[in-house]
Amino acid sequence: LLFLSWAIYNIYRLESWLRSRRLSPPLASSLWGNIFNQLYELRQRDRNRSIKLAQILKRFQTSALALPDGVVGLSANGDMEWWNDQAALLLGLTWPNDKGQRIDNLLRNPQFARFFRGELDHSVINIPSPIEDEVTIEIRIVGYGDQQQQLLIARDVSEALRLQQMRK
């Protein structure tokens, strides 16, 4: 009975420690001390991994924001998950209103819709900007990840097309 009471007491301490935000485990001896210490080490490893992943994510987001091209992260269904500032400027996206929307619902261009569905045999298309008719945007879609995610890369090619026309 005494051993059972001791075990229930330590289970209660373990449960309350796991629910709390305290990092250090409760003091205990023998088997319970080993259990607390091993769980503490697992918690520390998990915390360190979370910190490293957060740093990697922060570096990725910073580099995506610095790109001169517009970049939109799409889910396997074509829903917009994130985008950089340049994509917002080129495509007229607003955060958070457009988050989760399908890209082909916001870019209402028949050629883009066919391109997005894979009906065109092109790796890149040029479409008029949804914001300004004088601006032409080059769009490329690149797959990444093991869950069939996609990156939409948009670039303003208006000036290059004008120069090309002038040369002709």
Side-chain angles (χ1 to χ4, degrees), residues 1-161:
L1 189 62
L2 184 63
F3 180 75
L4 185 60
S5 300
W6 179 248
I8 290 172
Y9 171 71
N10 281 307
I11 290 171
Y12 171 77
R13 290 177 53 201
L14 174 64
E15 190 268 338
S16 63
W17 172 61
L18 290 174
R19 285 183 185 266
S20 74
R21 298 221 178 250
R22 288 190 337 246
L23 290 178
S24 59
L27 294 175
S29 60
S30 68
L31 176 65
W32 285 104
N34 290 339
I35 291 171
F36 288 149
N37 289 333
Q38 288 177 3
L39 287 172
Y40 172 71
E41 289 173 12
L42 287 173
R43 229 181 192 189
Q44 284 295 97
R45 267 189 258 149
D46 184 50
R47 186 170 180 257
N48 290 339
R49 273 192 214 126
S50 295
I51 290 170
K52 286 179 184 176
L53 285 173
Q55 290 170 344
I56 290 170
L57 182 61
K58 182 80 169 161
R59 278 195 308 254
F60 172 75
Q61 289 173 336
T62 303
S63 61
L65 288 173
L67 289 173
D69 297 337
V71 181
V72 180
L74 302 173
S75 70
N77 299 333
D79 299 337
M80 295 186 301
E81 296 178 337
W82 60 270
W83 55 86
N84 64 0
D85 293 339
Q86 190 63 24
L89 290 173
L90 289 172
L91 304 174
L93 305 176
T94 57
W95 185 269
N97 298 343
D98 294 335
K99 185 180 184 309
Q101 297 286 329
R102 285 186 50 90
I103 188 69
D104 53 348
N105 286 344
L106 292 175
L107 293 180
R108 297 204 174 251
N109 180 295
Q111 186 181 6
F112 174 76
R114 289 194 312 274
F115 174 73
F116 187 68
R117 289 191 303 262
E119 296 172 2
L120 298 179
D121 195 26
H122 306 294
S123 61
V124 175
I125 62 162
N126 292 336
I127 63 168
S129 168
I131 300 172
E132 296 179 47
D133 291 334
E134 300 85 36
V135 175
T136 302
I137 299 173
E138 177 186 271
I139 294 184
R140 176 185 314 264
I141 296 179
V142 180
Y144 77 98
D146 55 354
Q147 296 178 350
Q148 300 174 348
Q149 295 165 317
Q150 297 175 318
L151 286 178
L152 181 141
I153 302 167
R155 174 183 299 163
D156 183 351
V157 292
S158 305
E159 191 64 31
L161 290 176

